[in-house]
Amino acid sequence: MKTLWLMILGRLGLGLATLLAISVIIFSAIEMLPGDLAQEILGQSATPETVAAFRSELGLDRPALERYLDWAGGIATGDFGTSMASRRPISELIAARISNTLFLALYAAAISVPLALVLGLLAALYRNSVFDRLANVTALSSVSLPEFFLGYILIFVLAQSGLFPAVADVTAEMPLGDRLYAAFLPALTLTLVVTAHMMRMTRAAIINLLASPYIEMARLKGVPRGRVILCHALPNALAPIINVVAVNMAYLVTGVVVVEVVFVYPGLGQLLVDSVAKRDVSVVQAASLIFAAAYVLLNLAADVLATVSNPRLVHAR
Amino acid sequence: MTASILPLSAARGLRSAPFTARFGMAVIALYVAVALCAPLIAPYGETEIVDAEFMPWSAEYLLGTDNLGRDMLSRIIYGARNTVGIAVATTVLAFLAGAALGILAALRGGWVDQLLSRLVDVLMAIPSLIFKLLLLTIFGTSVLSVVLIIALVDSTRVFRLARAVSMNIVVMDYIEAARLRGDGTWRLITREILPNAAAPLAAEFGLRFCFVFLAISALSFLGLGIQPPTADWGSMVRDNASLISFGDITPLIPATAIALLTIGVNFVVDWMLHRASGLKD
């Protein structure tokens, strides 16, 4: 048990280090510009005075390390700086949007994870049947579809007839039922995007185990097929399944960006895309950091959960 | 094992290909043909404004006109050239950089490997779409910066695979023998490692193309990729999306074109991997 805690602590430390490295990369993206950000954004026609004024406003005239410490220190206390385009504090801009995006991602996860596990188990149980082959082709195809394509098909099929709203406008004041209804199409789009992969991996993880001697033993002593898969194969397949679920949840976090634009959903992804178009670097940096942090945390959770479900991994190397 | 995807046995392999793989190859061939002959097939010019905006389907404009009054069909045909061409160029770039560095890291080991691998680890810890958006903010949205940024971000994924594959090869006796007889790094890579890493790398090329293609389409759809007036499938969906709410499926056609190609390539890659792994069900 002690080694397990040590391992989790080690992973947490590694995650923190990764976050730190990411924050440095996101921050220093500006430094990679061959010329100067102020000049680049204001254009060639800007007078030297305006460029100088803009530079000092961005703080570009101070040393990079000082600016980084300022920026990172601010974020640690919830202050993301001010937007270059709207001059408003970034924390004010993103506060409501973060919860909207989280809501959408959780909504999609709540539908897709159980669905993928059940479908994967069924595909493993009835492998090489028509159902399995159909699932295989669907999975392969759905990985190939752009998110916006799925989104618009859903709009065409389900919103055209007036069944669901095509524009997912949610506000914090809406009751939960209305919010779930308004965000149904974006959540369904995300579900379609991630379910196939999780289902395939669940099936593969279970089928991989079916050749092991202990499964054969269970079969030989007369345990029914369904029970073999649920009670004998599934517990040992949990580690890879948890892993792929977490990977897909991490994917959800970024998949949200395109889907939010399709459905004009007021989330962080929409803000990020708008800010990239406006070249509002400070907002992009803040949003990128939040997305990246969520991504790192999910991958970290995957590691830890996989280890807890399979104690053998604790002693790996 | 590796011979199965090399041209010599290709003809033999083709006959045994399942329906999905044949379908994929037919799709790829069709796209290449359309891309190459775009000016010959397209009824109107790429950026030519031919009529009023949003004209319905007619004999004159088979798929109607777009938001600026340009012929949809012609733009879809030119899109094959632009979107697919840019995606291929980006993939090649990502592959050259990623595979070369990956193999080098495996071959040299030591600090070269450590440095490159840790760098890639950190770069891969940032979700790729987010990283691309961040870089696009800094460098602006021109075709060149889109190509270079996507190539850079995706080359980290290629690096991982190329390094993993070559790691298994560099420990082989024949590499040791080649080293002992004094072969240089370049000769080791081209003569010893590449031929043995061909199968997984070829499959990775196909998959990577799909990811790059989808990434370019997604960025264009967001208005941050290929810029107007260049005809491009992702931005065509974006520009004409309002039609969908009126029950018109025209904007879905370029989206279908994107989906069809990625599905086709995926089917072919799936079949290649299946053959290379020697699995026969």
Side-chain angles (χ1 to χ4, degrees), chain B residues 23-253:
Chain B
F23 169 78
M25 282 183 261
V27 168
I28 296 172
L30 174 73
Y31 276 61
V32 170
V34 169
L36 289 180
C37 321
L40 299 177
I41 318 172
Y44 301 95
E46 181 181 352
T47 56
E48 185 188 345
I49 294 174
V50 290
D51 212 311
E53 297 96 50
F54 294 131
M55 294 280 281
W57 294 12
S58 65
E60 209 174 342
Y61 315 113
L62 284 177
L63 296 177
T65 59
D66 71 356
N67 59 326
L68 293 177
R70 296 168 296 194
D71 183 47
M72 273 296 246
L73 180 65
S74 307
R75 283 182 71 76
I76 289 175
I77 291 172
Y78 275 101
R81 178 173 270 203
N82 300 331
T83 316
V84 180
I86 290 173
V88 170
T90 311
T91 317
V92 169
L93 211 59
F95 231 78
L96 286 180
L101 289 177
I103 296 176
L104 195 71
L107 198 59
R108 283 287 167 83
W111 66 269
V112 178
D113 184 24
Q114 280 298 322
L115 187 77
L116 287 171
S117 297
R118 293 298 82 77
L119 184 70
V120 164
D121 280 351
V122 175
L123 290 183
M124 278 182 73
I126 307 177
S128 83
L129 179 64
I130 305 297
F131 198 18
K132 287 166 191 163
L133 288 177
L134 175 71
L135 291 176
L136 278 174
T137 320
I138 307 289
F139 294 102
T141 48
S142 68
V143 171
L144 184 68
S145 60
V146 169
V147 167
L148 289 179
I149 286 168
I150 297 182
L152 168 78
V153 176
D154 279 65
S155 67
T156 56
R157 273 75 180 168
V158 180
F159 172 88
R160 272 274 175 93
L161 182 96
R163 180 179 172 277
V165 170
S166 333
M167 276 307 231
N168 290 329
I169 298 174
V170 291
V171 291
M172 295 285 180
D173 288 342
Y174 58 80
I175 298 286
E176 189 65 33
R179 271 190 173 143
L180 286 176
R181 74 170 178 252
D183 283 1
T185 307
W186 177 247
R187 203 182 151 80
L188 271 178
I189 292 179
T190 51
R191 287 302 181 83
E192 309 292 342
I193 297 180
L194 271 184
N196 287 294
L201 284 184
E204 169 71 9
F205 187 85
L207 285 182
R208 193 46 53 195
F209 168 78
C210 290
F211 286 124
V212 166
F213 185 54
L214 287 177
I216 290 181
S217 304
L219 287 178
S220 301
F221 170 74
L222 296 175
L224 308 168
I226 302 170
Q227 297 295 318
T230 310
D232 156 73
W233 292 336
S235 37
M236 285 175 74
V237 178
R238 168 196 176 85
D239 292 341
N240 302 295
S242 57
L243 282 180
I244 295 176
S245 324
F246 298 107
D248 187 340
I249 61 157
T250 319
L252 290 179
I253 296 174

Side-chain angles (χ1 to χ4, degrees), chain A residues 32-290:
Chain A
M32 281 158 49
L33 203 63
D36 181 295
L37 183 73
Q39 182 75 57
E40 178 83 2
I41 286 179
L42 292 174
Q44 289 303 322
S45 55
T47 60
E49 287 79 30
T50 37
V51 174
F54 195 57
R55 273 177 63 89
S56 70
E57 197 193 317
L58 288 177
L60 284 176
D61 48 356
R62 290 186 296 144
L65 183 66
E66 196 185 314
R67 276 183 289 133
Y68 172 72
L69 291 178
D70 254 16
W71 181 70
I75 286 173
T77 54
D79 172 21
F80 286 89
T82 39
S83 151
M84 280 160 45
S86 67
R87 314 266 158 187
R88 283 169 58 199
I90 295 174
S91 44
E92 194 180 293
L93 283 174
I94 56 179
R97 286 173 178 267
I98 287 185
S99 57
N100 280 345
T101 294
L102 266 180
F103 172 76
L104 180 58
L106 283 178
Y107 191 3
I111 307 179
S112 61
V113 174
L115 186 70
L117 291 187
V118 170
L119 287 178
L121 283 175
L122 285 177
L125 194 56
Y126 302 108
R127 68 182 172 287
N128 296 332
S129 66
V130 179
F131 169 73
D132 184 29
R133 275 161 208 275
L134 198 70
N136 188 10
V137 173
T138 322
L140 210 57
S141 316
S142 84
V143 178
S144 329
L145 297 181
E147 291 101 343
F148 57 85
F149 182 51
L150 285 171
Y152 281 124
I153 287 185
L154 289 182
I155 290 186
F156 186 73
V157 176
L158 291 177
Q160 258 287 296
S161 47
L163 229 49
F164 291 97
V167 173
D169 195 14
V170 297
T171 52
E173 295 86 48
M174 277 163 95
L176 184 66
D178 287 2
R179 277 180 85 169
L180 287 176
Y181 175 69
F184 180 71
L185 286 187
L188 188 63
T189 310
L190 287 170
T191 303
L192 288 177
V193 172
V194 293
T195 303
H197 185 216
M198 288 194 285
M199 185 205 88
R200 287 293 297 165
M201 298 305 287
T202 306
R203 174 187 179 275
I206 291 199
I207 286 184
N208 255 341
L209 283 171
L210 288 184
S212 7
Y214 79 96
I215 295 286
E216 200 174 349
M217 172 70 199
R219 279 242 182 85
L220 286 175
K221 72 181 187 201
V223 181
R225 274 168 66 95
R227 212 182 132 74
V228 167
I229 289 192
L230 268 183
C231 305
H232 295 246
L234 187 60
N236 266 311
L238 269 183
I241 292 177
I242 289 176
N243 226 319
V244 76
V245 166
V247 166
N248 276 285
M249 292 306 106
Y251 180 79
L252 261 189
V253 171
T254 52
V256 150
V257 175
V258 174
V259 173
E260 278 180 5
V261 173
V262 171
F263 292 96
V264 205
Y265 184 86
L268 197 57
Q270 178 100 45
L271 177 73
L272 175 61
V273 171
D274 289 347
S275 306
V276 174
K278 280 188 270 180
R279 302 192 72 177
D280 190 343
V281 181
S282 43
V283 177
V284 173
Q285 282 178 324
S288 307
L289 190 65
I290 293 170

